[in-house]
Amino acid sequence: MKMKKPWLLYRAISETLTLTLGRSHFPSLRRSFSSATSSISVNKVTISNFESALEDLRLHVRDADFVSVDLEMTGVTSAPWRESFEFDRFDVRYLKVKDSAEKFAVVQFGVCPFRWDGLKESFVAHPHNFYIFPRKELPVDGSSYEFLCQTTSIDFLAKHQFDFNAWIHEGISYLSRAQEAEALRSVGLAYEDEFVNSQCDSKDVREVPLVSTADILFSERMKNRFREWRDQLLQGATEGCQFERTSDESKQQLQTIFFKMRPALMLNNFTSHQLTLIRQVLGKHFEDLSYVRVNGEHSSEQKLVVYADTEDDKALLMKEVKEDVRKETEVKIKTAVGFRHVIELLASEQKLIVGHNCFLDLAHIYSKFFGPLPSSVAEFASSVHKLFPCIIDTKHLLKADSLLQHLMKRNSTSLSSAFALLCPQIVCPSNNYSLASRPCVKVEVQADEMRSSSWNSGLVKNELLQKHINLLYLGWNSGTIIDLKTGSEILEFGFQNHKRRYPKIVFENIVIIWGFPYKFKPRELRDCICKVFGQDSVTSIYYLDKTAAFIQFSKQEFTTDFLVLKDSLEKRNDAISVLHPLAKLLDGGKTCAANYDVYKKICSSPISRFLFADQAKAVGIRWKTDVELGEETETQETESGRESESESIDRGKKGTVKYHSFSCGRVLDTLYVSGSLLGNKQEAREKL
């Protein structure tokens, strides 16, 4: 397949990606899309048809030239300040994506393999839409899954007829690789314990004192019943007779059966305390009887007393039971892996993966199906690249091509907008669009068993796509692109000339403040700082929420001077601190300030409070200003108490610069700079 025009290739990919989750995800196009493609059906997959759908998908993915994926989640941001801001650095953007993927659930996973049919000169698509729900499937210790729901996301799903009942009751559960390994270990240990406890060496079983008359009578009665039953077995063996069950035993608590070619008693309707007493009786009085717990029909647990006439036979019995337990455990774990089988299929086949603005999707995929997300974006990029070596972000394709940018007039790059532009013959088939008159790549959708001959189009090696593979937008509204091959940051093509809302961001010049009075407006904040450091000292101010703001200074030294000055003023309790221009900002005594790295630290915490000031407090940051003051090192108070002197010294060694306190004269200098407050510096000194 050769395409001479990049827009034609992008158009084909846009069409195919649109099919991934079906028509309901494009509300503005829904009516026209439905009428033009009424024959399209998406394979809705739940627990009931998962196995068959998975086998069908294996065949289609194996023959595919690329696979499109898309996810629907229960939310995106756990707090307003967790939004992706222009002031977010590369590593901080990743931390916010990481937080989103860890806190919200995936409700739908669209997978659509495409292959090129040379005879029809069209792509053949097989869309599958999986409902997935993180149900607890294994009987191991630990709490059930928890996740957040964002009302806007839930409302969006409801407006587009998302089937919440199917999601909860019929959604496919899953285990990540890490969860599977832990489950094998935990379940294996649990059954191993059961295996050990099932053996009749009652010397290893904690003895229960027989203090009540009921326990004494029950134990004696069980001892007599087991002795009678065993004696009947031995007598029958001696006389050459086959042991037979009585007709009414099925109604009794002790029912004779055969277990692994050995006579056994099934214990019915006993309490857990009674079963403990039975095990104690067997261990004390019967060396040839073993207590065994196994899974019976319909996964119901059975308690058995099995006869083994020799120690070797008893050891063999326990070995057989243990092997059965191992096999049952493997089956349970495989079943619990659930939807991850689809992800493992995509990873193993190494097909080109196509998504739209899909960095968050990949974070969800890694978090839900592989293991905990790495702490750094470089580690994440490396891990994802090993799993999926070829990924295309269609948002990047749309933004990187000048022709498409011209056609879209830099409007929204959402998938629905792109589809409306690139596929007008579907959106409005009656209109005569210039783009619609150009050659297009057809997409034939098959949701049944029909298959046609295919051939490898070599799409991954297409020279038009090579320079775009593995370049993804980092975050949901940023001009930052990450190269998954290197883990490095790439500035968006044309972003240098893009009209910014804010001046160029220099992260070393940024201070973050929080906890200031709620009614403090950006203009007031700028004015009180500029009175001290000069009219051109502040280049931009950005509010994260009503409790926190970024201040970008024009010079890096202003950043450190501001932090030291703020700390010095707060330590004073005199007229200077009251009359100083910063006094309004510090009013209330709760205003905190720090450099950008502290903001990163706060973002890295798994805690999410609604307001940033509350978040900082929850993370454990108690100091008001992130400054160390000469020999009198300021200590940081955390949730675990005050920082020790050695820990404070370590902070200095790790790169925190130590500053000396502002002298009274220097504080007066800053007061003098503000001009009209006290007339001149000499007058201020005299009044104080």
Side-chain angles (χ1 to χ4, degrees), residues 326-565:
R326 184 188 66 79
K327 291 179 180 179
E328 290 172 4
T329 301
E330 289 180 352
V331 170
K332 287 186 176 182
I333 297 295
K334 183 178 179 180
T335 302
V337 164
F339 181 76
R340 201 191 86 222
H341 288 299
V342 174
I343 306 300
E344 296 287 5
L345 170 64
L346 298 179
S348 64
E349 292 295 335
Q350 303 278 282
K351 299 293 184 177
L352 173 67
I353 302 296
V354 178
H356 186 80
N357 202 14
C358 55
F359 189 85
L360 178 59
D361 291 354
L362 291 173
H364 271 285
I365 290 172
Y366 193 95
S367 174
K368 303 297 189 291
F369 307 114
F370 293 103
L373 286 165
S375 58
S376 72
V377 65
E379 291 179 77
F380 174 74
S382 175
S383 299
V384 170
H385 185 58
K386 291 176 183 177
L387 294 166
F388 307 106
C390 298
I391 300 174
I392 283 288
D393 184 350
T394 52
K395 180 178 178 180
H396 172 65
L397 290 182
L398 293 170
K399 300 274 280 189
D401 186 79
S402 57
L403 173 60
L404 289 175
Q405 282 290 286
H406 174 73
L407 291 170
M408 298 187 73
K409 299 178 181 179
R410 298 191 179 277
N411 291 331
S412 169
T413 55
S414 68
L415 196 56
S416 57
S417 299
F419 186 73
L421 171 72
L422 298 174
C423 309
Q425 78 282 1
I426 296 179
V427 177
C428 298
S430 60
N431 294 346
N432 184 23
Y433 288 91
S434 59
L435 190 64
S437 61
R438 298 173 181 173
C440 65
V441 175
K442 295 181 291 183
V443 178
E444 176 184 332
V445 180
Q446 293 184 357
D448 52 21
E449 297 300 320
M450 294 176 59
R451 299 174 58 80
S452 58
S453 61
S454 64
W455 58 285
N456 190 341
S457 65
L459 192 60
V460 174
K461 299 179 181 179
N462 188 287
E463 60 181 14
L464 295 175
L465 287 179
Q466 274 295 302
K467 60 183 179 180
H468 302 298
I469 289 178
N470 295 322
L471 300 182
L472 278 68
Y473 274 88
L474 179 57
W476 40 90
N477 57 344
S478 74
T480 302
I481 295 171
I482 181 173
D483 185 346
L484 292 180
K485 290 180 289 188
T486 63
S488 59
E489 176 185 10
I490 300 174
L491 193 61
E492 177 187 336
F493 176 78
F495 196 75
Q496 297 90 334
N497 301 322
H498 179 64
K499 185 177 180 180
R500 290 175 175 268
R501 182 181 177 186
Y502 298 94
K504 181 181 179 181
I505 297 172
V506 181
F507 295 105
E508 294 79 6
N509 295 4
I510 292 178
V511 167
I512 183 170
I513 61 172
W514 66 92
F516 49 81
Y518 280 175
K519 296 182 180 180
F520 210 64
K521 298 179 180 178
R523 182 178 294 241
E524 295 175 289
L525 179 58
R526 179 187 290 271
D527 288 346
C528 76
I529 295 175
C530 288
K531 284 179 181 179
V532 179
F533 295 96
Q535 290 300 315
D536 297 328
S537 59
V538 177
T539 60
S540 54
I541 292 177
Y542 183 86
Y543 272 52
L544 285 76
D545 60 20
K546 63 182 180 180
T547 69
F550 288 123
I551 304 171
Q552 178 168 305
F553 290 93
S554 57
K555 297 179 181 179
Q556 186 174 355
E557 54 262 35
F558 288 157
T559 303
T560 54
D561 286 347
F562 171 80
L563 293 173
V564 176
L565 174 59

Side-chain angles (χ1 to χ4, degrees), residues 593-630:
N595 61 22
Y596 197 87
D597 285 337
V598 174
Y599 171 61
K600 176 184 176 181
K601 176 184 176 181
I602 294 172
C603 289
S604 67
S605 171
I607 301 171
S608 276
R609 298 290 185 265
F610 187 76
L611 296 177
F612 185 86
D614 295 335
Q615 171 76 8
K617 183 178 180 181
V619 169
I621 295 177
R622 304 295 194 207
W623 37 252
K624 292 184 178 180
T625 311
D626 185 27
V627 179
E628 294 185 4
L629 303 174

